[in-house]
Amino acid sequence: MSGPGVTLTDMTTKIALVTGASAGIGEAIARALLDEGWTVYAAARRVDRMAGLADRGAHVLGMDVTDDASMTAGVQRILDECGRIDALVNNAGYGSYGALEEVPMDEARRQFEVNVFGLARLTQLVTPTMRAQHSGRIVNISSMAAHIYEPLGSWYHATKFAVNGLSDSLRLELKPFGIDVVTVQPGGIKSEWAGISADSLEQRSGHGPYATQARTLATMLRGSDANSSEPEVVARAVVAACTAKRPRSKYTIGMGAKPLVAARRVLPDRAMDALLSAAFDQAPKLVERRAKRDAS
């Protein structure tokens, strides 16, 4: 499945590769860029779920960001068909939760493979073309989780801290070549992410010494959509990052992101620990009250 072709002589059309485009934030980003007139290559493992994007004109790519061959082939296809890449949006990722003691190291490595190393490898693959063009945008979808922390989320938070550190260094590294590196840091966003993360949490730590914490956090995750922002909030930030003459280095958007990131900047560790612990302790009660309200 693919949308309309782009010729090498059509230099007015901007070309974007968006990963994790089969649902949620990635799908919203792909749609928003299409609406702005970009040619979008929408990449994900679940190709069947991108039929709607193909109908809107996106080029659909089957891509697994843990599979080097599929990433290499996908980037090469774009270059063969378009001759350039103007924006890479590294959105593919997931949340792996569970007590550090109980998460198998193979799963910890997979969390880094998807959230960090896949992002880095795609950046490697598009950078030579962007250097030759002396232009390009690399937009890395991070999270407010790169600034805060929570029990049973150590591996997920570690990957987002890593994405921010990688992006900051890369921004200076690629600036001389006309390439902008931007980090988008969403807060709570409605998507499949929370439910999948809660399921993995309960599977790994729902029975045993961390079961009480796991039940609390799973309740928080499953109830988070009620007060979360729509994926289009992130999509708008990505469009701004891809089109602004001088994009910000970081876009912090979505429910809770700005106040929590600001709090982390000014509060000492013990005060931040107390703030996050209080939120953790109160969350099940808030979710229960919300459920009763919705049922009435």
Side-chain angles (χ1 to χ4, degrees), residues 80-292:
D80 289 344
E81 294 179 359
C82 303
R84 62 186 293 114
I85 297 176
D86 298 291
L88 166 64
V89 183
N90 281 309
N91 169 70
Y94 75 106
S96 183
Y97 277 76
L100 184 77
E101 179 184 352
E102 296 176 322
V103 175
M105 290 306 297
D106 284 348
E107 171 56 25
R109 293 186 184 96
R110 182 173 182 272
Q111 177 78 147
F112 268 84
E113 285 289 345
V114 173
N115 290 8
V116 182
F117 296 125
L119 172 154
R121 178 57 178 147
L122 277 171
T123 300
Q124 286 184 330
L125 290 169
V126 305
T127 296
T129 297
M130 290 184 176
R131 278 195 298 102
Q133 296 166 183
H134 203 73
S135 67
R137 300 283 163 90
I138 296 169
V139 182
N140 293 330
I141 307 300
S142 181
S143 171
M144 67 177 178
H147 298 274
I148 62 169
Y149 44 91
E150 59 196 327
L152 311 184
S154 55
W155 287 115
Y156 173 68
H157 285 270
T159 64
K160 293 306 181 180
F161 273 73
V163 167
N164 274 29
L166 181 151
S167 300
D168 286 342
S169 292
L170 192 64
R171 187 172 64 251
L172 298 181
E173 187 173 306
L174 296 183
K175 183 179 179 181
F177 302 103
I179 303 169
D180 292 301
V181 178
V182 178
T183 309
V184 176
Q185 306 177 133
I189 304 295
K190 294 179 182 178
S191 71
E192 297 177 336
W193 183 93
I196 293 171
S197 299
D199 289 345
S200 71
L201 169 62
E202 290 178 329
Q203 179 184 352
R204 298 189 184 103
S205 296
H207 308 279
Y210 302 94
T212 300
Q213 291 185 72
R215 285 194 295 269
T216 298
L217 184 55
T219 298
M220 291 172 63
L221 289 168
R222 291 201 174 96
S224 62
D225 271 2
N227 289 321
S228 291
S229 301
E230 297 293 338
E232 286 73 20
V233 170
V234 185
R236 288 194 293 271
V238 171
V239 169
C242 290
T243 59
K245 186 175 181 180
R246 294 187 63 185
R248 302 179 207 165
S249 60
K250 291 182 175 67
Y251 291 77
T252 303
I253 40 83
M255 186 64 182
K258 288 182 179 179
L260 281 171
V261 171
R264 186 65 185 113
R265 288 196 188 106
V266 299
L267 292 179
D269 286 347
R270 289 191 182 278
M272 194 68 188
D273 287 356
L275 175 66
L276 294 172
S277 294
F280 189 81
D281 292 340
Q282 289 297 314
K285 298 175 185 177
L286 293 174
V287 172
E288 183 179 352
R289 284 202 295 269
R290 192 182 303 126
K292 289 180 179 177

